[in-house]
Amino acid sequence: MRQWQREHKEQTGAWWNSGARRAKYPRTCLHCGTQWNAVNKDAKYCSFTCQNAHQYGENRTRKQSPAEKRRAAAVRRAKRCARGTRGRTPWVVGACSECGAGFATQLCGARTCSPECRKRRIRRRTKERAGFVTRATRLAIYERDGWICQLCSEPVDPDLPYLDNWAASLDHIVCQAWTDEPDHSPENLRLAHRWCNSVRGDETYYETSVLAAA
């Protein structure tokens, strides 16, 4: 069988079980320009070597990083703004929303004076949307409540690690599940044991009065 295969290749130029005998679509390689008959009419490369060289070689268009995408988007915004100013890119002048320093830039919609301030602004706004409570606000609420659990009226040890069942935690007076937009203001927060806070939940199984009586 092997001998017959060799003789077949010498006569036809291709192995008997190869796709060359079914190739009937003339194609031109995008990388090296070689013309060959392909089995698939949508073939673009004559070999995997040409495909890898074209897609991952010097001719390959490098993907933009997130910073480059943001920079390109800012340039496009500036160009859109310039259309209404007779081709002149408008200047944005103001005070930085993070450090308060004055700045002037040609990036439309800029709110910060530097990339570092912009990152801080993004982190701060992300935390605000997620209902993040700062450590200073958390400690102020604990001091306001005198380190007394507002659910069981027992003292809370401030030295316990935060994963302890009887460590301090913040409990929402109006539970987050009760409203579409939870209220994370200090007026709606109170000190509670981590255990008491978990048992209360959204009062599906236990009410505050029952927990306090226990």
Side-chain angles (χ1 to χ4, degrees):
M1 186 65 182
R2 294 178 181 175
Q3 182 62 26
W4 183 86
Q5 285 274 18
R6 295 190 187 96
E7 294 176 356
H8 184 275
K9 184 178 181 181
E10 292 176 358
Q11 296 175 3
T12 61
W15 296 102
W16 176 81
N17 58 350
S18 67
R21 56 194 178 87
R22 297 183 287 112
K24 57 181 180 180
Y25 299 103
R27 302 291 298 169
T28 302
C29 181
L30 294 181
H31 181 71
C32 63
T34 303
Q35 296 183 355
W36 87 105
N37 292 331
V39 177
N40 186 359
K41 63 180 180 179
D42 297 327
K44 299 179 181 179
Y45 309 98
C46 62
S47 63
F48 286 111
T49 303
C50 288
Q51 180 179 356
N52 292 333
H54 187 78
Q55 292 182 346
Y56 302 102
E58 297 179 355
N59 296 331
R60 178 175 179 262
T61 303
R62 187 177 63 86
K63 295 179 64 176
Q64 290 183 333
S65 64
E68 291 174 341
K69 291 181 179 179
R70 292 193 297 267
R71 197 174 298 114
V75 171
R76 290 195 297 269
R77 289 196 301 268
K79 290 182 179 179
R80 287 197 299 268
C81 294
R83 294 172 188 169
T85 57
R86 298 180 182 178
R88 296 189 300 272
T89 303
W91 284 84
V92 177
V93 181
C96 179
S97 61
E98 298 303 311
C99 64
F103 70 96
T105 181
Q106 288 182 301
L107 296 179
C108 299
R111 298 292 183 272
T112 54
C113 61
S114 64
E116 290 74 14
C117 288
R118 183 178 183 277
K119 292 179 181 179
R120 287 199 295 267
R121 183 173 185 269
I122 293 175
R123 289 195 295 265
R124 178 177 59 81
R125 290 177 63 86
T126 302
K127 291 179 181 180
E128 289 177 355
R129 295 191 188 101
F132 180 82
V133 180
T134 61
R135 178 176 176 81
T137 303
R138 181 182 297 269
L139 293 177
I141 294 174
Y142 292 166
E143 295 294 340
R144 182 198 65 187
D145 295 339
W147 293 95
I148 300 296
C149 178
Q150 302 300 304
L151 297 179
C152 67
S153 300
E154 295 292 332
V156 180
D157 187 357
D159 298 328
L160 290 176
Y162 72 98
L163 290 179
D164 191 277
N165 288 336
W166 302 107
S169 68
L170 287 179
D171 175 52
H172 288 75
I173 300 175
V174 179
C175 297
Q176 301 184 61
W178 295 355
T179 59
D180 295 334
E181 296 183 3
D183 183 11
H184 303 290
S185 61
E187 292 75 16
N188 193 47
L189 297 174
R190 58 185 174 183
L191 171 62
H193 288 116
R194 186 166 175 263
W195 175 270
C196 299
N197 196 354
S198 301
V199 171
R200 183 207 174 196
D202 59 354
E203 297 187 2
T204 303
Y205 304 101
Y206 297 94
E207 296 182 358
T208 308
S209 58
V210 176
L211 182 63

